[in-house]
Amino acid sequence: MLKLGILDQSPVFPGYQAGDAIRHTVELAKQTERWGYSRFWVSEHHDTSRLAGSSPEVLLAALGAHTSRIRIGSAGVLLPHYSPFKVAENFRVLEALYPGRVDLGIGRAPGGMPIASQALRYGRPKERDELFGETLRDLAGFLSDRLEPGHRFEGVRAAPLVETAPDIWLLGSSGFSAERAAELGAAFSFAHFINGDGGHEAMRRYFADYRPGPLGRAPRANVCVMVICADTEEEAERIAVPLDLSILLREQGQFQRPFPTYEEAVAYPYTEWDRLRIQVNRNRMIVGDPKQAKARMLAFSEEYGVNELIVVTVTADPQARLRSYELLAEAFALRG
């Protein structure tokens, strides 16, 4: 049976404020737990007016308090910006609060423009890619109290000293994170919603090259994809129009532009090249009525060789987003 989880980026819907976006995220987690989704992940973005989720650790504390069963996690903490010791302590606090329910998803993307990355690192130099594996090993050591003998921080323990640890997932939209996940034993999530190309090969190599390591003992994987589901195919296509334009504008560097309304998207002066880009970007999403969406999601998961999809749904209307998740839960007969 295909499992479904959710990635929520706390989008700021047209006509709403950032505070509303955070409250929408909390309400969505409560509702999707009732509908039977397996996990609820939140993202990290910086210096943007479009997405309100900048601190997954803080948001997860609230989500855990408002839910009781669904797994909660980050997708992800952008580790190159931070001390692995502090990340370990943040997630040990979450594990103490909600034992057995926490996923620590790790990414290496900047999460914003270069100036925001510089502010996050506060003058520290950018971490080189070849050091990412070492940082991950340190994180695992702090979470398990098993730093390698002779490590410069040997003896330092991440508080609180809890008996359980969060599951570690590496997130990526290329083969790099898949390789690191296989090398270090982590679970792996491919961001198809970011990159519609190369994911199948990255996933194949992950399973082929996997070996147990400090981040895990057995291979586990899922794929994150955009899905818009509505009662009819026509309505789903209508809801997808603003998302098509939003993705196009981001590709053109318009990161601060608010998420468009349907009316704005219809009136936009598209060029022939714009329409070609929209067609290509549709490879990153599944759009349709419940029957169509289910069939396409099942085929999509089989192509990737995974039994779990993480769904991200961004619309111009919060009610349309809720309805999309509700219809998917009904189509897959999820159980709360």
Side-chain angles (χ1 to χ4, degrees):
M1 182 65 182
L2 184 66
K3 295 189 294 183
L4 299 184
I6 288 173
L7 166 62
D8 187 52
Q9 300 169 304
S10 301
V12 181
F13 297 105
Y16 291 85
Q17 303 299 316
D20 299 318
I22 297 296
R23 288 185 285 273
H24 286 145
T25 291
V26 174
E27 289 304 314
L28 181 62
K30 291 162 60 177
Q31 190 65 273
T32 51
E33 179 179 66
R34 298 187 192 106
W35 290 333
Y37 283 84
S38 60
R39 65 181 88 236
F40 193 98
W41 287 353
V42 293
S43 62
E44 178 179 338
H45 294 88
H46 300 285
D47 190 30
T48 174
S49 60
R50 296 165 53 115
L51 302 172
S54 60
S55 180
E57 306 93 326
V58 176
L59 188 50
L60 288 173
L63 296 180
H66 285 87
T67 58
S68 60
R69 301 182 308 278
I70 194 169
R71 293 193 67 87
I72 55 173
S74 58
V77 169
L78 306 179
L79 187 59
H81 294 320
Y82 309 119
S83 153
F85 178 66
K86 184 57 177 175
V87 172
E89 290 202 322
N90 285 340
F91 276 79
R92 275 194 159 179
V93 169
L94 290 169
E95 186 69 23
L97 290 168
Y98 314 114
R101 292 178 57 201
V102 179
D103 295 328
L104 170 49
I106 295 294
R108 66 184 186 96
M113 300 300 289
I115 188 66
S117 296
Q118 293 172 26
L120 285 165
R121 295 193 300 269
Y122 211 62
R124 291 183 293 109
K126 180 181 179 181
E127 181 184 82
R128 302 191 305 275
D129 284 347
E130 57 266 28
L131 295 180
F132 188 57
E134 179 182 338
T135 307
L136 288 168
R137 289 186 180 90
D138 286 350
L139 174 63
F142 287 126
L143 284 170
S144 64
D145 294 321
R146 289 196 298 268
L147 290 171
E148 295 180 2
H151 192 284
R152 57 178 172 158
F153 297 126
E154 186 175 8
V156 177
R157 305 182 71 186
L161 304 181
V162 293
E163 296 181 354
T164 59
D167 285 350
I168 299 178
W169 289 75
L170 289 196
L171 320 173
S173 57
S174 69
F176 179 89
S177 291
E179 293 170 4
R180 298 292 81 70
E183 173 187 307
L184 299 173
F188 176 60
S189 180
F190 185 80
H192 186 94
F193 76 105
I194 293 175
N195 180 13
D197 298 316
H200 299 89
E201 176 60 17
M203 193 64 70
R204 186 192 69 78
R205 292 301 303 270
Y206 167 73
F207 282 114
D209 297 343
Y210 182 91
R211 60 180 182 269
L215 304 188
R217 309 307 300 173
R220 289 180 300 159
N222 61 41
V223 180
C224 186
V225 60
M226 287 183 281
V227 181
I228 291 180
C229 184
D231 290 274
T232 66
E233 180 181 10
E234 294 74 20
E235 180 63 12
E237 289 291 339
R238 183 181 186 278
I239 293 170
V241 170
L243 179 58
D244 288 331
L245 177 57
S246 176
I247 295 172
L248 179 68
L249 294 175
R250 285 183 60 82
E251 287 185 338
Q252 297 173 353
Q254 300 186 50
F255 299 106
Q256 297 295 351
R257 185 162 173 169
F259 194 87
T261 64
Y262 174 78
E263 291 74 20
E264 290 169 340
V266 170
Y268 187 82
Y270 297 96
T271 66
E272 187 63 30
W273 174 253
D274 291 339
R275 296 190 185 281
L276 287 173
R277 286 305 308 163
I278 287 173
Q279 185 177 353
V280 170
N281 287 331
R282 277 299 185 98
N283 294 328
R284 295 155 59 182
M285 66 180 81
I286 293 170
V287 179
D289 63 29
K291 184 177 180 180
Q292 292 168 328
K294 180 179 180 180
R296 292 168 187 168
M297 291 167 71
L298 288 171
F300 180 87
S301 64
E302 289 177 4
E303 291 168 1
Y304 263 100
V306 299
N307 65 358
E308 181 181 34
L309 296 182
I310 304 297
V311 177
V312 54
T313 300
V314 182
T315 65
D317 174 16
Q319 292 307 312
R321 182 174 68 153
L322 269 177
R323 181 60 174 160
S324 181
Y325 286 128
E326 182 180 23
L327 290 172
L328 291 179
E330 293 173 354
F332 283 92
L334 302 182
R335 295 288 183 266

